[in-house]
Amino acid sequence: MTSATATNTPGSGLALDPNRGSRSRELVLLGAATVITGASLAIVEWAQKQTISWDLAKYVVAFVVLYAAAHVAVRRFAPYADPLILPVVALLNGLGLVLIHRLDLGRAHGENGRIQEINEANQQILWTLMGVAVLVAILALLRDHRTLAKYAYTIGLVGLILLALPALLPASLSEINGSKNWIKTPLFSIQPSEISKILLIIFTAAFLVSKRDLFTTAGRRVLGIDLPRPRDLAPLLLVWIVALAVLGYANDLGTPLLIFFTVLAMVYIATERVGWVVVGLALAVVGAVAAYFLFSHLRVRVEVWLHPFDHYEDIGFQPAQSLFSLATGGLAGTGLGSGRPTMVPFASTDFIISAIGEELGLIGLAAVLMLFLILIFRAFRISLTVRDSFGKLLAAGLASTVAIQLFVVVGGVTKLIPLTGLTTPFVSYGGSSLLTNYALIALLLRISNAAREPKVTRKPGAPVPDRPTEIVKRV
């Protein structure tokens, strides 16, 4: 009897896992993330109460159950996915839970001058549950990421509607802390711009793939740089106009920055032409100058950014306290539960980076940023290894938006750039952000599975009945 010998190459198809230990490594790393989270919660409890409460067991058990479910889902629906992505997300989410619980205890003890019975950590667990449910649902229902490209224009339209909806609603239903980028309901509030961010990335990836010739056509050469033709700038100009509109009507600086620079990064990745970056940065400068003179709220943010201590008693209090918090932490930090991060307003959302810097110091903050860098690096690696162009651009866009958001958040807290109101992915308190970022991770896992999935090939000379059947489309 003659038999064919099968070999495995990366691609798509089924059968033998070339990295048989991937899921086992993922499970071990998830266990390590659980140990770190549990130990950190115990340290916080001990430092704040001099005893350990049942909250510790409640949070650790919830953490174990949720990420065990996520691991089982990845093992079942994306068995070849990158084994580092989920553990890194789990550790970031766990550290965020630790800090949010620590801030709850601090407010209960009156560290900020008043006693507040707030339990955001319980809410964060519920949002994490919903986020993991979103991850599992996407992995189970979306078996091929290329399906999204078929509905690109519908997805893009929905993204624009969600982006514009809060600005069209009355302030009573959409404004929180001066920004009209929410939809408030009696039970909860959501930030639709977080969802639109993912939808617009999907649309942009599909659009760039289908219109690649439009963006790669060289125009006039200036100072050694091939600039795009003026008639080809319409898509980028549209994104620029949308960003300015959101900045003006929603009083939101973070979302326009994130959307514009994510699209610009995707255009550069798709074309590899520096000319698009030059034009994009020029548009950003023109837009920033125009917005400064058109919108008073932007002038206030710039003034606070430049002179926070001159306005310490009012609008400059928050950024000034953030800088004091980072300075207090120094190199090694005050220790978990031993600082006073509650002195910074909105420490659990916009300024959780300052809480990390105070209690874990520069060393701890650098470690957290390294976790984000690992996630971003693995996402770009997925972009390089997946074969289809849509998957490449989608993974690159998802990686870019995480990188840009992290830069904007850390830059705002450290006074490198004006404050934007964006939250730190997976770490900050908030439902919209967690749900959206878990959807982002699900898409990365799906693309990673396609990139790493083995393909069965057969040696030349194999009997015809043993050869795999292929479906060829007529052109």
Side-chain angles (χ1 to χ4, degrees):
M1 179 180 295
T2 304
S3 62
T5 303
T7 59
N8 296 321
T9 59
S12 60
L14 143 110
L16 303 175
D17 188 352
N19 303 292
R20 295 182 179 180
S22 292
R23 301 280 67 83
S24 298
R25 289 196 296 273
E26 180 181 86
L27 186 59
V28 170
L29 292 172
L30 284 172
T34 302
V35 170
I36 294 172
T37 301
S40 301
L41 284 168
I43 293 171
V44 166
E45 290 272 332
W46 182 262
Q48 285 287 305
K49 294 184 175 181
Q50 300 301 315
T51 183
I52 295 178
S53 69
W54 283 106
D55 284 339
L56 174 62
K58 175 178 65 177
Y59 294 138
V60 171
V61 169
F63 189 87
V64 170
V65 170
L66 288 175
Y67 283 100
H71 171 72
V72 170
V74 174
R75 184 180 286 270
R76 171 68 178 85
F77 300 114
Y80 306 104
D82 191 315
L84 283 183
I85 291 179
L86 188 61
V88 169
V89 169
L91 185 52
L92 288 170
N93 202 165
L95 291 175
L97 177 64
V98 170
L99 291 164
I100 292 167
H101 179 53
R102 184 264 172 275
L103 291 166
D104 286 344
L105 295 176
R107 286 187 287 258
H109 293 166
E111 287 181 352
N112 57 356
R114 54 181 176 174
I115 295 177
Q116 297 171 283
E117 291 296 336
I118 299 176
N119 203 327
E120 292 181 338
N122 286 345
Q123 293 293 324
Q124 189 76 347
I125 283 289
L126 292 177
W127 286 118
T128 303
L129 169 63
M130 296 177 65
V132 171
V134 168
L135 181 143
V136 173
I138 291 176
L139 290 178
L141 299 176
L142 182 67
R143 306 313 290 266
D144 187 346
H145 62 274
R146 293 171 295 184
T147 306
L148 296 172
K150 300 178 182 178
Y151 308 98
Y153 285 91
T154 302
I155 290 173
L157 179 61
V158 173
L160 287 176
I161 292 173
L162 288 175
L163 190 63
L165 188 57
L168 302 177
L169 294 174
S172 60
L173 298 177
S174 62
E175 185 172 335
I176 295 180
N177 298 325
S179 295
K180 286 178 88 297
N181 55 359
W182 295 83
I183 296 179
K184 296 191 290 185
T185 70
L187 298 178
F188 57 88
S189 299
I190 62 171
Q191 197 170 3
S193 60
E194 290 281 353
I195 304 171
S196 68
K197 172 183 69 177
I198 302 294
L199 299 180
L200 292 175
I201 290 173
I202 295 171
F203 165 75
T204 303
F207 181 80
L208 289 174
V209 169
S210 63
K211 306 291 185 181
R212 189 173 184 275
D213 292 341
L214 177 72
F215 289 87
T216 55
T217 303
R220 182 174 300 177
R221 191 172 182 84
V222 179
L223 299 176
I225 299 175
D226 292 324
L227 298 177
R229 298 178 301 181
R231 65 174 179 270
D232 297 335
L233 291 174
L236 193 61
L237 285 172
L238 178 61
V239 175
W240 181 73
I241 293 171
V242 169
L244 283 179
V246 172
L247 175 60
Y249 290 99
N251 192 10
D252 181 11
L253 178 60
T255 301
L257 279 175
L258 188 59
I259 291 175
F260 181 78
F261 283 105
T262 298
V263 171
L264 182 59
M266 294 177 71
V267 171
Y268 173 70
I269 292 169
T271 62
E272 299 181 1
R273 292 189 180 276
V274 180
W276 281 101
V277 177
V278 173
V279 172
L281 292 177
L283 286 174
V285 171
V286 171
V289 173
Y292 179 82
F293 289 103
L294 289 174
F295 309 128
S296 59
H297 54 267
L298 181 58
R299 291 195 294 274
V300 171
R301 292 205 179 195
V302 172
E303 176 63 22
V304 171
W305 169 52
L306 294 175
H307 309 288
F309 299 104
D310 292 348
H311 307 277
Y312 180 75
E313 298 297 331
D314 41 63
I315 58 176
F317 180 78
Q318 188 179 32
Q321 284 298 121
S322 173
L323 294 175
F324 287 144
S325 184
L326 292 172
T328 302
L331 184 63
T334 60
L336 280 172
S338 300
R340 299 189 68 186
T342 51
M343 295 297 294
V344 182
F346 305 106
S348 62
T349 52
D350 299 3
F351 283 83
I352 202 164
I353 289 294
S354 66
I356 297 172
E358 179 173 351
E359 301 213 330
L360 298 180
L362 178 62
I363 296 174
L365 181 57
V368 172
L369 295 180
M370 284 300 297
L371 289 174
F372 277 109
L373 288 178
I374 292 172
L375 177 61
I376 294 165
F377 171 79
R378 302 299 286 198
F380 276 119
R381 184 178 179 181
I382 292 168
S383 173
L384 292 173
T385 55
V386 73
R387 292 187 173 185
D388 66 287
S389 298
F390 173 69
K392 286 180 179 295
L393 266 183
L394 180 56
L398 296 174
S400 298
T401 197
V402 174
I404 294 168
Q405 184 166 348
L406 184 64
F407 171 80
V408 169
V409 169
V410 177
V413 171
T414 58
K415 200 177 170 292
L416 179 64
I417 60 175
L419 291 170
T420 60
L422 291 178
T423 56
T424 308
F426 303 108
V427 181
S428 295
Y429 170 77
S432 304
S433 177
L434 265 185
L435 295 180
T436 303
N437 284 305
Y438 272 103
L440 182 152
I441 294 301
L443 292 175
L444 283 177
L445 290 172
R446 172 54 64 211
I447 301 170
S448 175
N449 183 75
R452 295 161 60 93
E453 187 176 13
K455 179 180 179 181
V456 175
T457 59
R458 298 180 180 273
K459 289 184 177 181
V464 173
D466 290 340
R467 292 185 181 273
T469 304
E470 296 182 2
I471 299 176
V472 179
K473 292 184 179 180
R474 180 175 296 176
V475 180

